[in-house]
Structures are given as structure tokens and as C-alpha cells.
Amino acid sequence: MNSTPCPPAEFTMTVQAADAHTLRVAIHGYLDYDTSDEFAPALDELLDAHAEQHGPALRHLRLDWANLTAFDSSGLSALLALRRRTHPAGITLHLHHQPTYLTRLLEVTGVMGHLTQHARGAGSPEAAIP
């Protein structure tokens, strides 16, 4: 019996557009057990670079999932960790072009509304309200 080695799962992100208030990022490949540890540091790097260039003006992080090929509970955990970073900073997550399986997972787990809840501006009096 011949065995063919499976190539490692691939994960990349590309910045599609950016201005002071909005950053649009395309997710490519797998966001799963094998790659989810790459997601947070890669997005942290993008967010830090954006803040360095524009200051704390970012209000919308738009994630384009059109080229996502796999997503599992580890990807969900990474996405929730991203929300924990962005929401207190006044950055609202927007999910675009997600495949049906991603939408279904977010709805079944009840986190779709939580992930995309409008973030209040960091430092505003409303931001202190739970």
C-alpha cells in the first residue's frame, strides 16, 4: 500500500483595503486545529501595524471568508479571541462572504451576534457599560 503524504494545511491572510477607520482582511485556506495558532499573531501584527500608521482610529475590521476552505472549533476559538481584543478597543467585527458551513457553525454555537455586536468607541462612557 502506497501512502501519499498530505501537504500541511495552509493559512494566509491578505489586506484588501485599509484606511484610518476600516481594515479589510481576506482569510485564505484553513482556519482549524493546525493553523489557528497562526491566526491571532497574524491579526495582532496587522492591527498593530494599522495602529502605528493611523493611531487608535480603527473602528471596523472586515473579515472576508470567500477563500476559506476549512474551519473548526479551533478556528472558532481563535475568532472569539480576536473579538476579545477588538471589542474593548471599539473595533466592530464584520464577517463577509462566509461559506455556509461557517455561518452554520456560528449560528449553532450562538456566537454570530456576539462576534458582530457593534463595539462602542474605546474610552467612551458607553464602553464602560457591560
Side-chain angles (χ1 to χ4, degrees), residues 58-61 83 85-94 113-122 124 126-127:
L58 186 63
R59 291 293 163 253
H60 303 280
L61 177 56
R83 198 271 187 188
R85 175 183 176 173
T86 57
H87 198 76
I91 303 167
T92 299
L93 294 178
H94 303 271
H114 175 72
L115 287 171
T116 59
Q117 179 183 24
H118 180 72
R120 295 182 171 107
S124 72
E126 297 87 10

Side-chain angles (χ1 to χ4, degrees), residues 25-45:
V25 179
I27 312 300
H28 305 273
Y30 295 76
L31 185 53
D32 61 8
Y33 177 80
D34 292 324
T35 63
S36 61
D37 288 344
E38 300 171 39
F39 183 73
L43 263 170
D44 284 346
E45 187 176 311

Side-chain angles (χ1 to χ4, degrees), residues 28-80:
H28 305 273
Y30 295 76
L31 185 53
D32 61 8
Y33 177 80
D34 292 324
T35 63
S36 61
D37 288 344
E38 300 171 39
F39 183 73
L43 263 170
D44 284 346
E45 187 176 311
L46 288 174
L47 292 170
D48 291 344
H50 188 277
E52 188 174 310
Q53 183 176 6
H54 299 286
L58 186 63
R59 291 293 163 253
H60 303 280
L61 177 56
R62 300 184 178 280
L63 300 176
D64 187 327
W65 302 98
N67 294 307
L68 183 72
T69 52
F71 189 90
D72 67 7
S73 60
S74 296
L76 179 60
S77 179
L79 195 53
L80 288 166

